[in-house]
Amino acid sequence: MNTLDLGAIGNCNIAALIDPKGTVVWGCFPRLDGDAAFSALLNGGAAGEAAGDGQFSLELVDQLHSDQAYLANSAILQTTLYDHHGGVVEITDFAPRFALYERIYRPPMIVRRIRPVKGRPRIRVSVRPRFDNGRLKPEITRGSNHVRFVSPAQTLRLTTNAPVSYIVEERPFVLDRPIDMLLGSDESLQAGIESTARDLFERTLDHWRSWVRSLSIPFEWQEAVIRAAITLKLCNFEETGAIVAALTTSVPEAPETERNWDYRFCWLRDAYFVIHALNRLGVTRTMEDYLRYINDIVEEATEGELRPVYGITRDTSIDESIVPHLSGYRGFGPVRIGNQAHIQVQNDVYGSVVLASTHAFFDQRLTHPGNATLFEQLERLGNRAIAVFDKPDAGPWELRTIASVHTFSAVMCWAACDRLAKIARHIGQGDRATFWRREADRLHSIICERAWNAELGSFVSSFGGRDMDATLLLLHEVDFLDAGDPRFAATVEAVARTLRIGDFLLRYAGEDDFGKPKTAFIICVFWYIDALAALERRQEARNLFETVLLRRNPLGLLSEDIDPRSGELWGNFPQTYSMVGLINCAMRLSRHWEEAF
């Protein structure tokens, strides 16, 4: 049975997920949002499909058990397999990534290095990509040291020093020497297989460890923060600067639900939180790349209107469709490609872009600082925020048939005006600073009047409403309320009272288009922990944070959702929102380095 006890490898161009037995169960080529050539994760019990289709497995004959771990401070995964006869095999998986010729080399390639550690283990290699998201079985051609998987959609080449016939026939053989397998574009290697694989490994390991050394990490929870930071980086499509919400599509939020969405796109709201977290860690290059990505979006938004989500190349043609030939994760379909949220009205997007862009004006580490031209472009978004802050939208939870004036959306529109006032003052445009401060104050007053429920003694999720939602925990985080404002403390208490189940929080408790949510949204508990810390309930926050860390999968990763009762992870994986929450809480709660000695 599939679980989300998976490891992620990647190079900011492609990514793959590997299960505890060392099987590649998910991987898209030639980029993060591409064709799911390895789609076994979403083919749980599909009728008419052969066992093993859509995966790349290295089976140890008579296997007893396995264990798995990342090489320290890297995105390189090692899986160790043990058989009943004392045989041991070690698999090292990675996607090459390192500096070459003054640029980052990140080919659409997976490298698998397999070596015998003990005994005379026998392995069976099965390479079964399926193209057009699992629909097409490729034609197989072979050479002396390679196998080609050919289809009209694309071609992949496996180059190896293992016996090619045994791979094609999936016949077991004794692993009496190390072997290497390089799967990627249909191109010949320019050097020997073993020397190429070794060189790629050494350079990639050195690259990731150098990258980690540049991080500004907290004193406590270092391993968790480093793993979260690397995982966020894997979700960065570096070519354009886009950041995907997760590496997968259609892993359901809960069993027996149709809440199955494609998250391989860039939500401007999610991406803002990601780059904000990475900036805290000192990852300025990724932040600057993302700022270029959204600057291009802003440049194209001539009327100031933004979509909530874009393709990783700013593509707006990401209409949602269902893939009928994949049965879904554990058979819980449908499997969707594309996301219809791109046509929704989500008014918080204007604040998300302005908040992200504010870094360009105040962070002196950036090589491309904000200027008057960028400010003028952002003002168009601010004008749009003023126009829509009190208009109904789908809200941050992307309700498909229910529209309200959502408090979070209104607050983010206020944030756009507030930051524009600060930017204007910083760049010496006093008249514009006065204008934007006046508008920010006006929106703040209206929101406080219409989103505050005097009977409940709390802010509520929509103007004039009575329901709670977890985004209310962010009122202090975006500077809408001071932590000492009694309305903030009252709202945090109301959210916890209404939405907390065990150690986690629901997004909201009411019914939506698909009924009531069954699982907790992981980022919400991190928002709650941050709110507790802001309210000086620090020990309570630390205790809850430690408890939540125990719910990560064995490799330290988190998905979007969790069953608060069983602790089982659900939803798309790995989820950037969840890893962001972990980083933010650790940075806020950790003791300072000076306090530790």
Side-chain angles (χ1 to χ4, degrees), residues 15-84:
L17 301 180
I18 300 172
D19 77 5
K21 295 182 179 180
T23 298
V24 177
V25 295
W26 180 257
C28 300
F29 291 86
R31 64 190 202 190
L32 296 176
D33 64 343
D35 183 8
F38 297 109
S39 54
L41 182 69
L42 301 182
N43 204 19
E49 294 287 347
D53 278 354
Q55 65 184 34
F56 183 171
S57 64
L58 297 167
E59 177 190 352
L60 179 60
V61 177
D62 294 329
Q63 181 172 316
L64 177 63
H65 64 90
S66 63
D67 56 49
Q68 206 168 39
Y70 283 105
L71 294 185
N73 298 350
S74 82
I76 299 175
L77 184 66
Q78 280 194 339
T79 307
T80 306
L81 310 177
Y82 304 82
D83 68 23
H84 284 276

Side-chain angles (χ1 to χ4, degrees), residues 487-540:
R487 293 174 298 178
F488 178 61
T491 300
V492 171
E493 284 299 307
V495 169
R497 184 170 58 250
T498 306
L499 302 181
R500 186 170 179 177
I501 300 179
D503 296 321
F504 292 89
L505 279 79
L506 302 172
R507 289 170 289 186
Y508 45 82
E511 291 197 3
D512 58 19
D513 311 282
F514 299 92
K516 288 188 176 183
K518 299 178 181 178
T519 52
F521 203 66
I522 293 175
I523 184 62
C524 299
V525 71
F526 290 126
W527 291 344
Y528 180 59
I529 291 168
D530 275 337
L532 292 177
L535 293 170
E536 302 297 332
R537 296 161 61 180
R538 191 175 182 83
Q539 191 57 52
E540 183 180 353

Side-chain angles (χ1 to χ4, degrees), residues 39 135 156 366 429 497 569:
S39 54
R135 185 176 66 87
L156 293 177
L366 304 186
Q429 295 196 20
R497 184 170 58 250
L569 297 177

Side-chain angles (χ1 to χ4, degrees), residues 87-134:
V88 181
V89 171
E90 181 183 82
I91 307 168
T92 301
D93 288 310
F94 64 97
R97 173 181 171 79
F98 49 85
L100 181 68
Y101 305 129
E102 299 180 351
R103 61 182 183 270
I104 295 295
Y105 178 67
R106 45 175 186 265
M109 177 190 292
I110 295 172
V111 179
R112 316 202 74 181
R113 309 200 73 198
I114 306 101
R115 73 180 186 96
V117 177
K118 185 178 179 182
R120 288 180 56 80
R122 298 171 68 233
I123 65 169
R124 178 186 292 108
V125 178
S126 176
V127 188
R128 296 189 186 181
R130 294 294 181 267
F131 299 121
D132 192 15
N133 294 304

